[in-house]
Amino acid sequence: MGRLKPSPPGTCRQEHTQLSDLRVSHATCFKMLQDMNSADPFHLKYIIKKIKNMAHGSPKLVMETIHDYFIDNPEISSRHKFRLFQTLETVIRASDILEETWEKTFTRLALENMTKATELEDIYQDAASNVLVAICRHSWRAVAQHLETELLTGVFPHRSLLYVMGILSSSEELFSQEDKACWEEQLIQMAIKSVPFLSTDVWSKELLWTLTTPSWTQQEQSPEKAFLFTYYGLILQAEKNGATVRRHLQALLETSHQWPKQREGMALTLGLAATRHLDDVWAVLDQFGRSRPVRWSLHSSSPKNSEDLHWKWASSTILLAYGQVAAKARAHILPWVDNIVSRMVFYFHYSSWDETLKQSFLTATLMLMGAVSRSEGAHSYEFSQTSELLQCLMVLMEKEPQDTLCTRSRQQAMHIASSLCKLRPPIDLERKSQLLSTCFRSVFALPLLDALEKHTCLFLEPPNIQSLYSRTTEALDLMLQSLIMQNPTAEELHFLLSHLYLWLASEKAQERQRAVHSCMILLKFLNHNGYLDPKENFKRIGQLVGILGMLCQDPDRATQHCSLEGASHLYQLLMRHKTVEALQAESQAPKELSQAHSDGAPLWNSRDQKATPLGPQEMAKNHIFQLCGSQVIKEIMQQLTLAELNDVIWTAIDGLGSTNPFRVQAASEMLLTAIQEHGAKLEMVSSMAQAIRLRLCSVRIPQAKEKTLHAITLLARSHTRELVATFLDISIPLDSHTFQLWRALGAEQPTSHLVLTTLLAWLQERPLPTGASDSSPCPKKTYLRSLAAMNMLHELQFAREFKQAVQEAYPKLFLALLTQMHYVLELNLPGEAQPKPQAQEAAVSSPQSCSTSLEALKSLLSTTGHWHDFAHLELQGSWELFTSIHTYPKGVGLLARAMVQNHCKQITAVLRQLLPSLQSPEECERKVAILILTEFLYSPALLEVLPKQAALTVLAQGLRDPSPEVRVLSLQGLSNILFHADKQAKFAFYRCAVLLRWRLLHTLFCTLAWERGLSARHFLWTCLMTRSQEEFNIHLSQALSYLHSHSCHIKTWAALFIGYTICYHPQAVLQMLNAVDTNLLFRTFEHLKSDPEPSIREFATSQLSFLHKVSARPKQ
């Protein structure tokens, strides 16, 4: 060392301290290098760790110490040197800068040792070689120059040289992008310079021997062999003589194909050679494929000896070679694609199937598709073999074990399919449908991740199942996106989603979760990127809305979240299209339209839509993403067309038939929501109701059944008649589920009335039964509906929902049932369908079998409170009269007479109902009406509805009726007491007098027979009041009650009776009159002052004056 310049005392002291520290560190490092010869592995590990730490802080010091150690200890062991080389590699890699001196020194050291033979064999040489690789990090060009010199000596290079070049060629971290290109160019130049070596027999044989010699492990390719395959391919690429290329490739293919890395290497060499010699490589592969060993391997699945193993996977090599040929041929590949694909399809179908062949096929196909996608003009090129290749992919996925996921085969196959979708011609719908079904089944039907992980727990290197599964589903999503990008229409979206629906409705939670995640990703992709043509009619999404709505209630939280997010994206897509439709409707200017083709069709420019979609941050602020599932679905349904709403409801109805309880519950809620919001405008209600009836049988959840029935109730508000007709068709025979639907129809009072009215309308159709006259389907259906209506009118009387409606519809039901009985008897039918057992038990049984209409009449009387009328006929055994057409009129007469005798409150209502029936074109309706009317003539209530003169007119019209029975009954009615009341009353009064043994009976008879006016009335009053003094109060109280009668005639005679009584017994009358009676009496006499009869007017005037005087007196 040179002398140091004089320094100040303080500086000298500081430098001395630093120098001392440096010497100590050097000595420490030297000692640790020396101790690396230790055999104790724990101590050795400790030393290496300390040296590495020191190297990170002072790499220059460590490198200098290592150099000194090598100089001072030339005889150290190979094992010690091996450890020193490893340390030196670490130090050089840790250094930011490597001085030129050290670069040259260590390069020479590495070159000297990397070819040295020791007992450590390759690992010693690799350690020295790795030092050279580490130097490349600082100065790769100098190292490359050394390597090139050694490589081009004409002697086949040493293994270590190939090792270094292999590391350099495969490393991604040693070079920058620019340096990597320079290195590859230099490698090509080396290959060009190595072309003459191909003609050297020794060099060529050693090359082939090196390539085919088995490594100590065949699972991983050694760097030197990997480089040699590349280098060999580059040399053949540079060779101008095609015959030479063929000879070398043939020789290479005739070696063993047993090991995977060997096959990959051979394929790489052929691919590189094809860059310049495509025809020659194609010929070699074609000839090799026809060779006897290869043909044997195609038909043999079990090798018998080691020689057979060499050829077993030859077809795998050929597949990989075709892939490499496609990858390396670049711009020249398009005309060859169909030929390559046809060969690959052949080897796929006819080779012995195993994991090796499968992976080789996938790898080769991926390389092929990568080459096609990089080729200019690929999207306009017509390929003829894409369908066959797609079929191979589907077969491959179908052969994948459904209970395991251990490889990337599924995702690779779907990536290839995504690429195929971009080529022309487009995939036909049938093939695309098969592809979607296969992919969905292959991915969605996989077991749960925990189960998948258990299948790999015994693997030496188990794959990351979570990552593998995520990448597999990602590949599936990318394939769906590729399909929609190639045809960005709503029709294509519907096609894709239609294949998802099966899995969205799966009974297995994991399958639903996976399917809805893919659905959400697709909708999100479309929402973010706006690929769908906004000018197209965005329809046919009702089924999707229904399914997403139900999945928003899935027990699985992940499924819920994906469904809600998917529905929100769908809403935004729908709103965007609605906005575009609105703008198009408003705008008529041609300049606002897109450019058009020459044929006038609008051209959609996807670039125009890139700015339209909302970004993630904007979507986060959008209100739709803040709503719950049911609210989002309601928002979407507001935007749907009628056809789409129908699809929503049909989807919900289908869900009712699921065996999954949650799905049934969700379907019932979806159905209820849709009908609640939009039930009034729905169509196809009849078929929907029939479908609901079919699904209702399988619904076992009470809440779901209740909501479904409530939906029917809401639907009936606007579609009562359609639903009644539909349910009539399925009510013979009637079961409990159908009866529940009927009860749901009547759950609301206005609807229950309309249901009964509609049933009565169907009952009144009354066509002839099938075979009687017309056997066409329509009369038959009408006949069956009429019978079903009769049955339902009977059954619904026992349903609480129809109780009030039945009560209010009593007059209509009463007449309709009587008419129906006459109709059945006229047809001479044995009877109708008997009601269900519980209804029969509720009704009182008759002594013999009765028709449904008779039972319905009985139950009508009993359920509406007309027990007196029912008992009147029951006690007389009169119900049997209704079972024969001959005794039927008598039975109706007895029933009507019972109503009169029991003062039935429904008489007036029945009268109002039967009057129009007298004009009915149906004879049976007129017969029933006249039968009842002739009996009701005996009821005082008749005059409230039908005045005397009007009754005479009605009966007179009946005399001209075409039916003889109606004419006879009308004539009988004209002889009723109503029209000869005076005679009858006088006769009755005289008979009472005889029975009571009054005196002066002859005088009484003469008075009744011939006298008129006040004298006659006075005589009759005197007889009554003097012959029964003890009943004075009774007669007077009855007269007072008759003052309140609605009959004007009765009220008049009550007033006259009271008037006579006041004249003779004023105080007795005043004692019984209250204020109301007094006022009523005053008004009555005031009204009688204008009576047509003079004597009554005179009597009323005098009595009114007398009544004023009497009432003014104080009561005693």
Side-chain angles (χ1 to χ4, degrees):
M1 295 178 63
R3 289 182 176 267
L4 296 174
K5 293 183 179 180
S7 301
T11 303
C12 291
R13 193 179 305 112
Q14 185 177 3
E15 289 178 352
H16 178 74
T17 302
Q18 292 176 350
L19 185 60
S20 299
D21 292 342
L22 187 61
R23 288 172 178 170
V24 171
S25 298
H26 185 276
T28 304
C29 183
F30 196 92
K31 181 64 170 65
M32 286 192 293
L33 293 174
Q34 188 178 27
D35 290 345
M36 288 180 70
N37 196 31
S38 170
D40 184 3
F42 295 102
H43 183 59
L44 179 62
K45 185 177 180 180
Y46 169 75
I47 293 171
I48 293 175
K49 183 178 179 180
K50 287 202 66 175
I51 292 178
K52 285 182 178 179
N53 291 337
M54 183 179 289
H56 283 290
S58 304
K60 185 177 179 181
L61 171 65
V62 177
M63 282 190 287
E64 182 179 354
T65 307
I66 292 174
H67 174 260
D68 292 346
Y69 194 86
F70 270 107
I71 297 299
D72 296 342
N73 301 276
E75 301 299 328
I76 58 177
S77 66
S78 300
R79 189 172 299 278
H80 196 176
K81 281 186 179 181
F82 166 73
R83 294 169 180 170
L84 291 174
F85 283 137
Q86 287 183 318
T87 305
L88 180 59
E89 177 196 355
T90 303
V91 173
I92 294 174
R93 288 182 181 274
S95 302
D96 294 328
I97 299 174
L98 185 63
E99 295 179 0
E100 185 178 354
T101 304
W102 292 120
E103 175 197 318
K104 293 179 179 180
T105 301
F106 291 131
T107 298
R108 185 169 59 253
L109 178 65
L111 288 172
E112 291 173 355
N113 286 274
M114 59 191 284
T115 58
K116 186 178 293 186
T118 67
E119 73 276 11
L120 297 180
E121 299 179 347
D122 291 352
I123 62 171
Y124 178 87
Q125 297 172 353
D126 291 348
S129 300
N130 288 334
V131 173
L132 198 60
V133 173
I135 295 172
C136 286
R137 184 176 180 273
H138 301 280
S139 179
W140 71 270
R141 294 182 186 274
V143 174
Q145 191 61 46
H146 284 290
L147 295 174
E148 182 177 353
T149 302
E150 295 293 330
L151 192 66
L152 300 177
T153 59
V155 178
F156 191 78
H158 190 273
R159 187 201 67 84
S160 297
L161 185 68
L162 299 174
Y163 172 85
V164 174
M165 299 193 77
I167 295 295
L168 294 180
S169 298
S170 62
S171 177
E172 297 292 337
E173 58 184 24
L174 289 174
F175 299 106
S176 64
Q177 188 173 0
E178 182 180 353
D179 289 342
K180 183 72 172 177
C182 293
W183 162 251
E184 290 175 351
E185 180 60 32
Q186 187 170 349
L187 200 57
I188 292 172
Q189 294 304 318
M190 293 182 197
I192 294 173
K193 295 174 184 179
S194 301
V195 169
F197 303 151
L198 293 175
S199 303
T200 306
D201 189 53
V202 176
W203 194 94
S204 298
K205 287 182 178 179
E206 194 164 353
L207 168 64
L208 195 60
W209 181 86
T210 305
L211 288 174
T212 57
T213 300
S215 304
W216 67 276
T217 172
Q218 296 294 343
Q219 298 303 317
E220 294 183 4
Q221 185 81 291
S222 62
E224 61 270 23
K225 189 173 286 190
F227 169 75
L228 197 54
F229 277 116
T230 302
Y231 189 55
Y232 192 16
L234 291 175
I235 296 174
L236 293 173
Q237 183 185 113
E239 172 63 62
K240 296 180 180 180
N241 191 332
T244 303
V245 173
R246 290 190 185 194
R247 186 177 70 254
H248 277 269
L249 292 179
Q250 287 170 352
L252 180 63
L253 289 173
E254 288 172 359
T255 61
S256 175
H257 298 262
Q258 181 175 354
W259 307 108
K261 294 302 179 181
Q262 191 76 8
R263 298 191 292 269
E264 293 173 12
M266 283 192 256
L268 177 60
T269 301
L270 272 86
L272 290 169
T275 303
R276 188 173 179 183
H277 303 281
L278 183 54
D279 291 334
D280 296 314
V281 173
W282 182 265
V284 170
L285 286 172
D286 188 57
Q287 181 181 356
F288 181 65
R290 298 173 189 273
S291 65
R292 183 177 179 182
V294 174
R295 284 189 285 113
W296 172 87
S297 69
L298 295 177
H299 301 93
S300 177
S301 57
S302 55
K304 300 177 180 178
N305 51 53
S306 59
E307 185 65 24
D308 293 344
L309 283 173
H310 292 169
W311 297 102
K312 179 181 178 181
W313 292 286
S315 57
S316 176
T317 304
I318 296 174
L319 285 171
L320 293 172
Y322 280 126
Q324 289 289 359
V325 167
K328 301 299 187 293
R330 299 176 186 172
H332 307 292
I333 194 58
L334 288 183
W336 293 84
V337 169
D338 285 330
N339 286 332
I340 292 175
V341 171
S342 66
R343 295 293 195 278
M344 294 171 66
V345 169
F346 170 81
Y347 286 109
F348 176 86
H349 285 301
Y350 294 100
S351 301
S352 298
W353 180 262
D354 58 11
E355 188 69 23
T356 300
L357 177 73
K358 177 186 73 176
Q359 198 55 52
S360 299
F361 175 79
L362 288 172
T363 304
T365 310
L366 282 169
M367 288 190 284
L368 173 65
M369 299 315 301
V372 171
S373 64
R374 292 189 297 269
S375 300
E376 294 183 6
H379 294 290
S380 59
Y381 197 89
E382 290 282 342
F383 299 94
S384 63
Q385 296 290 317
T386 52
S387 293
E388 287 72 14
L389 185 56
L390 201 59
Q391 184 64 37
C392 292
L393 294 173
M394 289 188 284
V395 171
L396 185 149
M397 282 192 284
E398 287 172 350
K399 288 186 176 182
E400 284 293 288
Q402 198 58 59
D403 57 345
T404 59
L405 180 65
C406 305
T407 67
R408 298 171 56 243
S409 301
R410 287 180 173 87
Q411 57 179 287
Q412 289 174 329
M414 288 185 285
H415 280 309
I416 296 169
S418 299
S419 300
L420 287 173
C421 295
K422 301 174 184 177
L423 303 181
R424 294 182 60 190
I427 304 173
D428 63 87
L429 287 180
E430 182 179 356
R431 190 59 57 90
K432 191 189 298 185
S433 177
Q434 293 175 356
L435 173 66
L436 291 171
S437 299
T438 302
C439 292
F440 289 158
R441 182 169 56 252
S442 182
V443 176
F444 296 156
L446 285 170
L448 292 168
L449 293 185
D450 291 343
L452 292 174
E453 288 176 346
K454 288 179 181 178
H455 277 286
T456 61
C457 63
L458 298 179
F459 287 17
L460 293 176
E461 295 182 3
N464 186 332
I465 295 298
Q466 181 65 54
S467 175
L468 189 58
Y469 173 76
S470 298
R471 292 182 181 276
T472 303
T473 56
E474 182 182 346
L476 176 60
D477 295 335
L478 289 175
M479 186 189 76
L480 294 176
Q481 293 167 19
S482 296
L483 288 169
I484 196 67
M485 287 172 66
Q486 299 310 306
N487 185 19
T489 63
E491 189 69 27
E492 180 71 5
L493 176 61
H494 172 75
F495 179 79
L496 298 180
L497 293 175
S498 65
H499 291 77
L500 265 177
Y501 293 152
L502 173 68
W503 300 97
L504 291 171
S506 171
E507 301 296 330
K508 296 182 179 179
Q510 74 269 20
E511 293 179 356
R512 295 195 305 272
Q513 182 190 109
R514 293 161 181 170
V516 78
H517 181 267
S518 290
C519 180
M520 181 272 292
I521 292 296
L522 180 60
L523 294 173
K524 184 177 182 180
F525 170 78
L526 293 173
N527 192 26
H528 282 184
N529 299 281
Y531 279 106
L532 285 182
D533 184 354
K535 302 180 187 68
E536 192 186 56
N537 199 7
F538 191 57
K539 305 298 181 186
R540 303 182 70 181
I541 61 169
Q543 187 176 3
L544 176 62
V545 174
I547 291 177
L548 290 178
M550 289 187 285
L551 289 176
C552 284
Q553 303 178 51
D554 197 286
D556 182 71
R557 297 298 296 273
T559 303
Q560 283 185 28
H561 177 76
C562 286
S563 304
L564 178 57
E565 186 176 351
S568 301
H569 288 299
L570 178 62
Y571 173 79
Q572 289 196 324
L573 280 170
L574 186 60
M575 292 308 298
R576 186 176 302 121
H577 281 71
K578 293 281 185 182
T579 302
V580 172
E581 289 175 0
L583 291 174
Q584 288 178 342
E586 295 174 4
S587 174
Q588 300 295 328
K591 63 181 180 180
E592 296 184 8
L593 298 176
S594 300
Q595 281 187 323
H597 290 295
S598 58
D599 60 358
L603 178 66
W604 174 53
N605 187 348
S606 61
R607 291 193 300 260
D608 297 338
Q609 297 303 315
K610 291 296 182 181
T612 304
L614 295 174
Q617 293 182 350
E618 292 173 317
M619 284 195 303
K621 298 178 183 177
N622 196 298
H623 81 285
I624 198 68
F625 287 91
Q626 314 301 324
L627 301 178
C628 67
S630 60
Q631 291 173 322
V632 172
I633 297 302
K634 284 184 180 179
E635 291 283 342
I636 294 177
M637 285 197 291
Q638 293 295 333
Q639 309 301 326
L640 298 182
T641 63
L642 182 57
E644 291 164 346
L645 286 171
N646 284 335
D647 288 341
V648 172
I649 292 178
W650 276 113
T651 304
I653 293 173
D654 289 341
L656 293 175
S658 173
T659 58
N660 193 316
F662 111 80
R663 187 170 180 80
V664 175
Q665 183 70 28
S668 65
E669 293 183 13
M670 173 64 66
L671 179 65
L672 179 59
T673 300
I675 292 179
Q676 200 166 24
E677 298 289 327
H678 308 282
K681 57 184 178 182
L682 291 177
E683 297 177 349
M684 301 171 60
V685 172
S686 176
S687 54
M688 288 179 183
Q690 289 181 356
I692 291 174
R693 161 64 183 82
L694 291 176
R695 302 297 189 278
L696 198 64
C697 301
S698 60
V699 176
R700 297 290 182 265
I701 305 172
Q703 298 89 340
K705 181 170 285 189
E706 181 181 349
K707 290 177 181 178
T708 304
L709 294 173
H710 189 200
I712 291 293
T713 301
L714 299 180
L715 196 61
R717 291 177 179 176
S718 307
H719 307 279
T720 307
R721 290 181 173 83
E722 294 174 72
L723 292 175
V724 169
T726 301
F727 293 158
L728 283 175
D729 292 339
I730 57 176
S731 294
I732 297 180
L734 181 68
D735 56 38
S736 60
H737 300 292
T738 308
F739 190 65
Q740 285 180 320
L741 293 173
W742 283 104
R743 294 183 62 181
L745 279 184
E748 295 179 347
Q749 286 304 317
T751 311
S752 64
H753 288 79
L754 186 54
V755 170
L756 289 181
T757 301
T758 308
L759 285 173
L760 285 170
W762 276 109
L763 181 66
Q764 292 168 0
E765 290 291 328
R766 300 191 188 97
L768 292 176
T770 306
S773 61
D774 187 1
S775 59
S776 60
C778 290
K780 178 181 179 181
K781 190 171 187 178
T782 305
Y783 171 70
L784 291 176
R785 283 183 177 176
S786 179
L787 292 182
M790 182 65 257
N791 192 37
M792 289 316 305
L793 286 171
H794 181 204
E795 299 291 343
L796 295 181
Q797 294 175 26
F798 303 97
R800 57 180 176 81
E801 292 83 359
F802 286 87
K803 184 176 182 179
Q804 182 177 343
V806 169
Q807 188 73 42
E808 295 176 5
Y810 177 86
K812 292 182 180 179
L813 290 170
F814 180 77
L815 290 175
L817 295 175
L818 286 173
T819 305
Q820 180 70 8
M821 276 189 278
H822 191 281
Y823 163 71
V824 174
L825 292 173
E826 277 187 329
L827 292 178
N828 196 24
L829 295 178
E832 300 157 281
Q834 293 300 313
K836 61 182 183 180
Q838 53 265 43
Q840 288 180 321
E841 292 171 6
V844 179
S845 301
S846 59
Q848 63 184 42
S849 175
C850 298
S851 67
T852 305
S853 47
L854 177 57
E855 291 300 319
L857 178 63
K858 291 181 180 181
S859 61
L860 178 67
L861 295 173
S862 61
T863 57
T864 54
H866 297 80
W867 280 102
H868 293 89
D869 306 332
F870 177 85
H872 193 95
L873 269 72
E874 181 70 22
L875 294 174
Q876 297 182 41
S878 302
W879 291 118
E880 294 182 5
L881 299 173
F882 290 92
T883 60
S884 170
I885 191 66
H886 304 294
T887 57
Y888 172 81
K890 185 177 181 181
V892 175
L894 288 175
L895 177 58
R897 194 173 306 159
M899 294 173 67
V900 173
Q901 293 175 358
N902 295 318
H903 305 290
C904 177
K905 296 180 181 179
Q906 292 283 359
I907 287 180
T908 55
V910 172
L911 275 169
R912 292 189 181 95
Q913 192 65 38
L914 68 79
L915 289 176
S917 299
L918 292 170
Q919 308 300 323
S920 171
E922 290 193 27
E923 183 179 340
C924 62
E925 289 191 11
R926 301 197 305 274
K927 285 182 182 178
V928 172
I930 196 66
L931 280 169
I932 297 173
L933 178 61
T934 54
E935 293 297 331
F936 279 8
L937 291 173
Y938 293 95
S939 172
L942 174 77
L943 296 176
E944 299 177 19
V945 179
L946 194 66
K948 179 178 179 181
Q949 190 59 41
L952 283 170
T953 302
V954 168
L955 293 172
Q957 290 176 347
L959 296 176
R960 298 189 296 272
D961 194 274
S963 170
E965 291 91 341
V966 175
R967 293 198 299 270
V968 170
L969 290 169
S970 299
L971 186 60
Q972 292 176 356
L974 287 173
S975 64
N976 189 276
I977 187 175
L978 175 68
F979 309 110
H980 307 282
D982 53 346
K983 295 180 181 179
Q984 297 283 344
K986 290 177 181 179
F987 177 75
F989 191 89
Y990 182 75
R991 291 294 297 167
C992 289
V994 172
L995 291 173
L996 293 174
R997 297 180 181 180
W998 286 0
R999 291 179 298 171
L1000 302 174
L1001 289 176
H1002 177 73
T1003 306
L1004 177 61
F1005 177 82
C1006 293
T1007 303
L1008 290 171
W1010 295 290
E1011 291 192 18
R1012 297 285 186 276
L1014 289 175
S1015 60
R1017 289 192 287 271
H1018 178 73
F1019 179 76
L1020 294 176
W1021 178 87
T1022 303
C1023 290
L1024 180 65
M1025 300 303 286
T1026 57
R1027 300 294 188 271
S1028 55
Q1029 289 288 335
E1030 65 278 3
E1031 297 177 353
F1032 173 84
N1033 290 337
I1034 296 176
H1035 295 323
L1036 185 58
S1037 64
Q1038 288 178 339
L1040 288 173
S1041 67
Y1042 289 145
L1043 277 177
H1044 299 272
S1045 173
H1046 294 292
S1047 173
C1048 183
H1049 181 76
I1050 294 176
K1051 186 187 295 185
T1052 299
W1053 287 102
L1056 294 175
F1057 181 85
I1058 295 172
Y1060 280 112
T1061 308
I1062 290 176
C1063 293
Y1064 295 96
H1065 305 283
Q1067 290 300 324
V1069 174
L1070 290 175
Q1071 289 294 332
M1072 296 186 67
L1073 284 175
N1074 56 28
V1076 175
D1077 294 335
T1078 304
N1079 291 333
L1080 184 59
L1081 194 59
F1082 273 118
R1083 289 198 303 272
T1084 304
F1085 280 130
E1086 195 68 43
H1087 177 71
L1088 290 177
K1089 286 170 65 177
S1090 58
D1091 192 88
E1093 187 176 341
S1095 61
I1096 292 180
R1097 290 199 301 271
E1098 181 181 355
F1099 181 78
T1101 303
S1102 62
Q1103 286 297 319
L1104 191 63
S1105 174
F1106 182 72
L1107 186 60
H1108 278 294
K1109 295 178 182 178
V1110 173
S1111 61
R1113 299 174 188 173
K1115 294 183 180 181
Q1116 297 181 356

